[in-house]
């Protein structure tokens, strides 16, 4: 956009960086963990069930993680 001899440049972060909290970013950076349950996420990050569920479901909504039913629990698997 041009205005009075000046222009504005907007730098956007990569698509996976937008709106992610530090726990979500850390989980996505883990190369040795491809899937996780809510309980494992709770233990890994020391958060309560509601926080773990929200973090993981937000990743599902962003299409970064798949949510798969496995018996009575869900497994959250990173999308390649």
């Amino acid at each position: 956009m041009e205005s009075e001899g000046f222009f504005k440049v907007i730098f956007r972060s990569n698509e996976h960086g937008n709106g992610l909290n530090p726990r979500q970013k850390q989980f996505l950076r883990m190369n040795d963990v491809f899937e996780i349950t809510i309980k494992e996420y709770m233990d890994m990050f020391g958060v309560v069930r509601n926080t773990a569920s929200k973090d993981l479901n937000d990743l599902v909504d962003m299409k970064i993680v798949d949510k798969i039913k496995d018996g009575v629990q869900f497994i959250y698997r990173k999308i390649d």
Side-chain angles (χ1 to χ4, degrees), residues 11-70:
F11 294 97
R12 294 189 180 5
S13 62
N14 67 30
E15 79 179 68
H16 294 300
N18 293 337
L20 297 179
N21 66 44
R23 291 179 304 275
Q24 292 167 320
K25 289 177 184 177
Q26 185 177 345
F27 169 64
L28 294 174
R29 282 192 302 261
M30 293 177 173
N31 293 326
D32 58 335
V33 179
F34 298 103
E35 58 185 37
I36 197 166
T37 64
I38 290 175
K39 175 73 170 113
E40 291 167 338
Y41 193 91
M42 290 169 56
D43 293 341
M44 184 178 292
F45 295 106
V47 294
V48 296
R49 183 171 200 77
N50 286 346
T51 301
S53 180
K54 181 181 181 337
D55 281 3
L56 291 169
N57 284 314
D58 285 349
L59 294 175
V60 170
D61 292 344
M62 290 184 243
K63 297 182 180 8
I64 300 171
V65 171
D66 280 331
K67 183 177 181 178
I68 302 157
K69 180 83 168 160
D70 182 33

